[in-house]
Amino acid sequence: MEKLNRRSFLETAGIITGGVLLGNSLNLNAADGPGKNPMVKLSGHIWVYASKYPPNWDSTPVIEQAFSDFSY
């Protein structure tokens, strides 16, 4: 087996690291076909709905609307 020198090691490590970072940034997935857009993750907080009901901050009356809005 050939001994790996420092230059070859750094080159190989750079290629592997670049491939991993590039793959993660492009969101490559085998299930995604050409022309398909990846889904964007959306986070939210129920506080927007609960802020209508001080002083208890209860969002129960509008919980269905909140889930509907988030699923849209």
Side-chain angles (χ1 to χ4, degrees):
M1 184 169 181
E2 183 180 334
K3 187 174 182 181
L4 190 64
N5 62 22
R6 183 172 187 233
R7 182 173 297 213
S8 296
F9 171 76
L10 291 175
E11 182 180 334
T12 304
I15 290 171
I16 292 171
T17 303
V20 169
L21 292 175
L22 184 62
N24 286 340
S25 68
L26 293 177
N27 192 18
L28 298 176
N29 188 349
D32 294 338
K36 292 195 175 191
N37 293 330
M39 295 292 290
V40 176
K41 292 182 181 180
L42 177 68
S43 297
H45 201 282
I46 197 71
W47 172 255
V48 174
Y49 298 92
S51 64
K52 296 177 186 177
Y53 301 101
N56 296 333
W57 313 108
D58 183 22
S59 62
T60 306
V62 291
I63 197 75
E64 293 297 324
Q65 179 190 354
F67 281 116
S68 173
D69 291 351
F70 281 118
S71 67
Y72 175 72

